[in-house]
mmCIF file with all atom_site columns, all heavy atoms in Angstrom:
data_model
loop_
_atom_site.group_PDB
_atom_site.id
_atom_site.type_symbol
_atom_site.label_atom_id
_atom_site.label_alt_id
_atom_site.label_comp_id
_atom_site.label_asym_id
_atom_site.label_entity_id
_atom_site.label_seq_id
_atom_site.pdbx_PDB_ins_code
_atom_site.Cartn_x
_atom_site.Cartn_y
_atom_site.Cartn_z
_atom_site.occupancy
_atom_site.B_iso_or_equiv
_atom_site.pdbx_formal_charge
_atom_site.auth_seq_id
_atom_site.auth_comp_id
_atom_site.auth_asym_id
_atom_site.auth_atom_id
_atom_site.pdbx_PDB_model_num
ATOM 1  N N   . LEU X 1 18  ? 39.344 14.393  27.356  1.00 86.00 ? 23  LEU X N   1
ATOM 2  C CA  . LEU X 1 18  ? 39.278 15.283  28.513  1.00 86.00 ? 23  LEU X CA  1
ATOM 3  C C   . LEU X 1 18  ? 37.818 15.587  28.801  1.00 86.00 ? 23  LEU X C   1
ATOM 4  O O   . LEU X 1 18  ? 37.093 16.069  27.930  1.00 86.00 ? 23  LEU X O   1
ATOM 5  C CB  . LEU X 1 18  ? 40.046 16.578  28.233  1.00 86.00 ? 23  LEU X CB  1
ATOM 6  C CG  . LEU X 1 18  ? 41.519 16.417  27.818  1.00 86.00 ? 23  LEU X CG  1
ATOM 7  C CD1 . LEU X 1 18  ? 42.153 17.779  27.546  1.00 86.00 ? 23  LEU X CD1 1
ATOM 8  C CD2 . LEU X 1 18  ? 42.294 15.656  28.892  1.00 86.00 ? 23  LEU X CD2 1
ATOM 9  N N   . ILE X 1 61  ? 26.807 -15.236 -2.062  1.00 78.00 ? 66  ILE X N   1
ATOM 10 C CA  . ILE X 1 61  ? 26.046 -14.970 -3.292  1.00 78.00 ? 66  ILE X CA  1
ATOM 11 C C   . ILE X 1 61  ? 25.040 -16.089 -3.556  1.00 78.00 ? 66  ILE X C   1
ATOM 12 O O   . ILE X 1 61  ? 25.062 -16.735 -4.611  1.00 78.00 ? 66  ILE X O   1
ATOM 13 C CB  . ILE X 1 61  ? 26.960 -14.772 -4.515  1.00 78.00 ? 66  ILE X CB  1
ATOM 14 C CG1 . ILE X 1 61  ? 28.123 -13.833 -4.171  1.00 78.00 ? 66  ILE X CG1 1
ATOM 15 C CG2 . ILE X 1 61  ? 26.174 -14.198 -5.680  1.00 78.00 ? 66  ILE X CG2 1
ATOM 16 C CD1 . ILE X 1 61  ? 29.064 -13.567 -5.328  1.00 78.00 ? 66  ILE X CD1 1
ATOM 17 N N   . LYS X 1 88  ? 18.069 0.810   -4.689  1.00 94.00 ? 93  LYS X N   1
ATOM 18 C CA  . LYS X 1 88  ? 18.412 2.023   -5.422  1.00 94.00 ? 93  LYS X CA  1
ATOM 19 C C   . LYS X 1 88  ? 17.265 3.020   -5.275  1.00 94.00 ? 93  LYS X C   1
ATOM 20 O O   . LYS X 1 88  ? 16.150 2.776   -5.734  1.00 94.00 ? 93  LYS X O   1
ATOM 21 C CB  . LYS X 1 88  ? 18.637 1.702   -6.899  1.00 94.00 ? 93  LYS X CB  1
ATOM 22 C CG  . LYS X 1 88  ? 19.153 2.861   -7.744  1.00 94.00 ? 93  LYS X CG  1
ATOM 23 C CD  . LYS X 1 88  ? 19.382 2.415   -9.167  1.00 94.00 ? 93  LYS X CD  1
ATOM 24 C CE  . LYS X 1 88  ? 19.953 3.530   -10.031 1.00 94.00 ? 93  LYS X CE  1
ATOM 25 N NZ  . LYS X 1 88  ? 21.312 3.926   -9.606  1.00 94.00 ? 93  LYS X NZ  1
ATOM 26 N N   . GLY X 1 106 ? 35.566 -2.762  2.845   1.00 94.00 ? 111 GLY X N   1
ATOM 27 C CA  . GLY X 1 106 ? 36.203 -2.489  1.561   1.00 94.00 ? 111 GLY X CA  1
ATOM 28 C C   . GLY X 1 106 ? 35.240 -2.256  0.416   1.00 94.00 ? 111 GLY X C   1
ATOM 29 O O   . GLY X 1 106 ? 34.023 -2.438  0.531   1.00 94.00 ? 111 GLY X O   1
ATOM 30 N N   . VAL X 1 118 ? 14.600 -3.353  -5.425  1.00 94.00 ? 123 VAL X N   1
ATOM 31 C CA  . VAL X 1 118 ? 14.243 -4.293  -4.365  1.00 94.00 ? 123 VAL X CA  1
ATOM 32 C C   . VAL X 1 118 ? 12.726 -4.431  -4.281  1.00 94.00 ? 123 VAL X C   1
ATOM 33 O O   . VAL X 1 118 ? 12.003 -3.425  -4.274  1.00 94.00 ? 123 VAL X O   1
ATOM 34 C CB  . VAL X 1 118 ? 14.794 -3.842  -2.997  1.00 94.00 ? 123 VAL X CB  1
ATOM 35 C CG1 . VAL X 1 118 ? 14.301 -4.773  -1.885  1.00 94.00 ? 123 VAL X CG1 1
ATOM 36 C CG2 . VAL X 1 118 ? 16.316 -3.817  -3.014  1.00 94.00 ? 123 VAL X CG2 1
ATOM 37 N N   . CYS X 1 128 ? -6.055 -14.290 8.184   1.00 84.00 ? 133 CYS X N   1
ATOM 38 C CA  . CYS X 1 128 ? -7.478 -14.176 7.876   1.00 84.00 ? 133 CYS X CA  1
ATOM 39 C C   . CYS X 1 128 ? -8.188 -15.503 8.132   1.00 84.00 ? 133 CYS X C   1
ATOM 40 O O   . CYS X 1 128 ? -7.558 -16.563 8.205   1.00 84.00 ? 133 CYS X O   1
ATOM 41 C CB  . CYS X 1 128 ? -7.670 -13.737 6.433   1.00 84.00 ? 133 CYS X CB  1
ATOM 42 S SG  . CYS X 1 128 ? -6.812 -12.195 6.016   1.00 84.00 ? 133 CYS X SG  1
ATOM 43 N N   . ASP X 1 206 ? 5.532  -17.812 5.254   1.00 81.00 ? 211 ASP X N   1
ATOM 44 C CA  . ASP X 1 206 ? 4.722  -18.983 5.594   1.00 81.00 ? 211 ASP X CA  1
ATOM 45 C C   . ASP X 1 206 ? 3.534  -18.658 6.491   1.00 81.00 ? 211 ASP X C   1
ATOM 46 O O   . ASP X 1 206 ? 2.774  -19.557 6.851   1.00 81.00 ? 211 ASP X O   1
ATOM 47 C CB  . ASP X 1 206 ? 5.595  -20.041 6.270   1.00 81.00 ? 211 ASP X CB  1
ATOM 48 C CG  . ASP X 1 206 ? 6.248  -19.518 7.550   1.00 81.00 ? 211 ASP X CG  1
ATOM 49 O OD1 . ASP X 1 206 ? 6.492  -18.303 7.629   1.00 81.00 ? 211 ASP X OD1 1
ATOM 50 O OD2 . ASP X 1 206 ? 6.523  -20.324 8.454   1.00 81.00 ? 211 ASP X OD2 1
ATOM 51 N N   . TYR X 1 218 ? -6.394 -25.037 3.193   1.00 82.00 ? 223 TYR X N   1
ATOM 52 C CA  . TYR X 1 218 ? -5.034 -25.471 2.855   1.00 82.00 ? 223 TYR X CA  1
ATOM 53 C C   . TYR X 1 218 ? -4.820 -25.583 1.345   1.00 82.00 ? 223 TYR X C   1
ATOM 54 O O   . TYR X 1 218 ? -3.818 -25.081 0.803   1.00 82.00 ? 223 TYR X O   1
ATOM 55 C CB  . TYR X 1 218 ? -4.752 -26.816 3.524   1.00 82.00 ? 223 TYR X CB  1
ATOM 56 C CG  . TYR X 1 218 ? -3.401 -27.394 3.191   1.00 82.00 ? 223 TYR X CG  1
ATOM 57 C CD1 . TYR X 1 218 ? -2.256 -26.994 3.885   1.00 82.00 ? 223 TYR X CD1 1
ATOM 58 C CD2 . TYR X 1 218 ? -3.259 -28.347 2.176   1.00 82.00 ? 223 TYR X CD2 1
ATOM 59 C CE1 . TYR X 1 218 ? -1.018 -27.520 3.572   1.00 82.00 ? 223 TYR X CE1 1
ATOM 60 C CE2 . TYR X 1 218 ? -2.018 -28.876 1.869   1.00 82.00 ? 223 TYR X CE2 1
ATOM 61 C CZ  . TYR X 1 218 ? -0.904 -28.464 2.565   1.00 82.00 ? 223 TYR X CZ  1
ATOM 62 O OH  . TYR X 1 218 ? 0.318  -28.979 2.255   1.00 82.00 ? 223 TYR X OH  1
ATOM 63 N N   . SER X 1 236 ? 16.129 -17.429 -13.035 1.00 40.00 ? 241 SER X N   1
ATOM 64 C CA  . SER X 1 236 ? 17.284 -17.217 -12.173 1.00 40.00 ? 241 SER X CA  1
ATOM 65 C C   . SER X 1 236 ? 18.087 -15.972 -12.533 1.00 40.00 ? 241 SER X C   1
ATOM 66 O O   . SER X 1 236 ? 19.033 -15.638 -11.846 1.00 40.00 ? 241 SER X O   1
ATOM 67 C CB  . SER X 1 236 ? 18.206 -18.444 -12.255 1.00 40.00 ? 241 SER X CB  1
ATOM 68 O OG  . SER X 1 236 ? 18.637 -18.650 -13.583 1.00 40.00 ? 241 SER X OG  1
ATOM 69 N N   . TYR X 1 254 ? 21.239 -21.983 3.178   1.00 28.00 ? 259 TYR X N   1
ATOM 70 C CA  . TYR X 1 254 ? 21.068 -21.522 1.806   1.00 28.00 ? 259 TYR X CA  1
ATOM 71 C C   . TYR X 1 254 ? 20.688 -22.724 0.965   1.00 28.00 ? 259 TYR X C   1
ATOM 72 O O   . TYR X 1 254 ? 21.213 -23.816 1.155   1.00 28.00 ? 259 TYR X O   1
ATOM 73 C CB  . TYR X 1 254 ? 22.365 -20.906 1.266   1.00 28.00 ? 259 TYR X CB  1
ATOM 74 C CG  . TYR X 1 254 ? 22.847 -19.723 2.041   1.00 28.00 ? 259 TYR X CG  1
ATOM 75 C CD1 . TYR X 1 254 ? 24.048 -19.771 2.747   1.00 28.00 ? 259 TYR X CD1 1
ATOM 76 C CD2 . TYR X 1 254 ? 22.103 -18.554 2.084   1.00 28.00 ? 259 TYR X CD2 1
ATOM 77 C CE1 . TYR X 1 254 ? 24.490 -18.670 3.459   1.00 28.00 ? 259 TYR X CE1 1
ATOM 78 C CE2 . TYR X 1 254 ? 22.544 -17.459 2.787   1.00 28.00 ? 259 TYR X CE2 1
ATOM 79 C CZ  . TYR X 1 254 ? 23.739 -17.519 3.477   1.00 28.00 ? 259 TYR X CZ  1
ATOM 80 O OH  . TYR X 1 254 ? 24.178 -16.433 4.172   1.00 28.00 ? 259 TYR X OH  1
#
Side-chain angles (χ1 to χ4, degrees):
L23 304 179
I66 314 181
K93 186 178 182 66
V123 175
C133 304
D211 59 331
Y223 177 83
S241 59
Y259 300 115

